[in-house]
Amino acid sequence: MMTVIATYSSLGLAAKIAKVLADDVVLIEEKVFPDGERYVRVPQRLSGDIVLVHSTHPPQDSRIIELLLTIDALKGAGAERLIVVVPYLAYARQDKRFMEGEPISIGVLLRSIEVAGADVFVTVDIHRPGSLDEWLRIPHLNVLPVAQLAEYFRDRLREPLVLAPDKGALHRARIAAQILGADYDYLEKRRDRITGEVKVLPKSLNVKERDVLIIDDIVSTGGTLARAAESIVAVGGSRVYAACTHALLVSGALDRVYQAGIEEIVATDTVPSPVSRVSVAEPVARALMELLSQ
Ligand code: R5P
């Protein structure tokens, strides 16, 4: 028996995870002081295994502070084993010093979560899974919801080709292609590290009379997806679909991807969004049950 703790950042997903686990949900009290500092409070005494579900999508910095404060509050309220589930983990893309003088942001974040009091850490489709091994000493797990995203498209695509927008994302395309009985490939992407501008290099692909499904971890501005879709249309592709785990959808991203010719984009509910049609509640709940039975 566990108790699932929800914050407002992930209330819907926490409730779904609790339903799968047949456990109770306790909602954290939250407020902001007039000077902008945040306050959280656990409304009851706790014991045993406690599962906190809290995503760190924008505004990520205040959600990160809430996460760290809530971890400390839960330990103080009696949590014996605290399993911290962060469905979307912010700052994961800054996983090395790309340029001299930069921080390794993901390292700072993961070490802070451990120091605050997490006993077990679970996340969903972290940008580079190796980051967890590099920075955490506590048990940890990365849940990959590619099968659930691929299932959404089962029987909806005509002779599908699954594409990763860059080589680093190829593992997602491979898994989705296996499930859909499709071919898979990747595009060559270049991002300007100063301006953030994305270019997708031309590639010859056999896309005539076929539907293309682009699969990625994050859609933020939608620039990557839009450039990828344009490169497919340029070689004769007609119907392009997209799936992603974390739909941050900032700066008019949805308009950008639809204008680039994407028919439909589907995401999971790690970040609540208008296209979050696939839930990670089942795979996360299964991972928790497995972890806790060890
Ligand atoms: C980058 O490596 C990620 O996997 C995503 O492709 C990227 O973060 C998407 O960002 P945007 O939507 O702003 O192009």
Side-chain angles (χ1 to χ4, degrees):
M1 180 76 189
M2 314 171 213
T3 304
V4 176
I5 307 291
T7 60
Y8 283 102
S9 125
S10 297
L11 190 48
L13 179 55
K16 282 187 200 159
I17 292 173
K19 195 168 171 205
V20 180
L21 294 170
D23 286 324
D24 297 334
V25 187
V26 173
L27 183 60
I28 294 290
E29 292 172 16
E30 297 171 43
K31 69 178 179 185
V32 182
F33 289 110
D35 60 3
E37 288 183 5
R38 311 193 86 76
Y39 170 91
V40 299
R41 181 170 174 271
V42 185
Q44 63 186 62
R45 278 303 296 171
L46 301 168
S47 61
D49 287 336
I50 301 298
V51 177
L52 167 64
V53 183
H54 178 95
S55 237
T56 54
H57 49 287
Q60 49 279 73
D61 294 354
S62 54
R63 291 195 203 275
I64 287 166
I65 281 290
E66 263 166 30
L67 172 67
L68 299 176
L69 298 180
T70 306
I71 291 172
D72 183 71
L74 289 167
K75 290 300 270 196
E80 283 155 49
R81 181 162 54 166
L82 177 56
I83 301 109
V84 175
V85 181
V86 183
Y88 170 67
L89 184 62
Y91 289 98
R93 285 167 287 179
Q94 182 70 29
D95 58 4
K96 61 177 177 188
R97 300 186 209 280
F98 295 96
M99 294 202 289
E100 205 182 325
E102 290 180 347
I104 305 176
S105 310
I106 188 61
V108 176
L109 192 51
L110 288 171
R111 276 183 288 145
S112 306
I113 290 169
E114 184 168 326
V115 167
D119 297 304
V120 178
F121 182 76
V122 177
T123 190
V124 179
D125 201 357
I126 184 173
H127 186 63
R128 190 172 59 80
S131 301
L132 297 176
D133 293 336
E134 252 167 66
W135 296 105
L136 289 175
R137 283 163 304 169
I138 54 174
H140 49 266
L141 201 72
N142 178 45
V143 175
L144 199 60
V146 173
Q148 286 73 17
L149 286 167
E151 282 300 340
Y152 177 90
F153 286 98
R154 192 186 282 285
D155 301 327
R156 291 181 193 216
L157 304 178
R158 178 188 48 171
E159 274 203 65
L161 170 67
V162 184
L163 281 182
D166 56 48
K167 206 172 178 183
L170 190 59
H171 61 290
R172 292 187 199 88
R174 187 187 306 119
I175 298 168
Q178 267 160 11
I179 287 166
L180 296 171
D183 297 331
Y184 66 96
D185 205 336
Y186 65 93
L187 297 165
E188 294 277 359
K189 174 173 114 176
R190 301 273 181 275
R191 187 187 286 274
D192 184 312
R193 294 225 71 85
I194 310 283
T195 63
E197 204 199 321
V198 171
K199 276 195 188 123
V200 169
L201 308 184
K203 180 161 182 170
S204 112
L205 294 165
N206 174 15
V207 287
K208 294 252 159 54
E209 314 279 309
R210 304 179 80 177
D211 290 344
V212 175
L213 173 64
I214 307 170
I215 186 158
D216 204 0
D217 57 344
I218 300 171
V219 175
S220 178
T221 63
T224 300
L225 261 189
R227 298 295 86 76
E230 285 159 7
S231 80
I232 294 158
V233 172
V235 290
S238 55
R239 294 207 307 181
V240 184
Y241 294 81
C244 73
T245 305
H246 312 292
L248 300 179
L249 304 182
V250 301
S251 325
L254 274 187
D255 287 345
R256 193 166 292 114
V257 302
Y258 290 133
Q259 273 164 20
I262 289 182
E263 302 271 334
E264 184 182 6
I265 169 170
V266 168
T268 76
D269 54 356
T270 56
V271 177
S273 86
V275 297
S276 295
R277 296 196 194 103
V278 171
S279 184
V280 296
E282 282 272 353
V284 167
R286 249 186 285 123
L288 289 171
M289 287 189 276
E290 233 171 80
L291 262 174
L292 299 184
S293 67
Q294 285 162 12

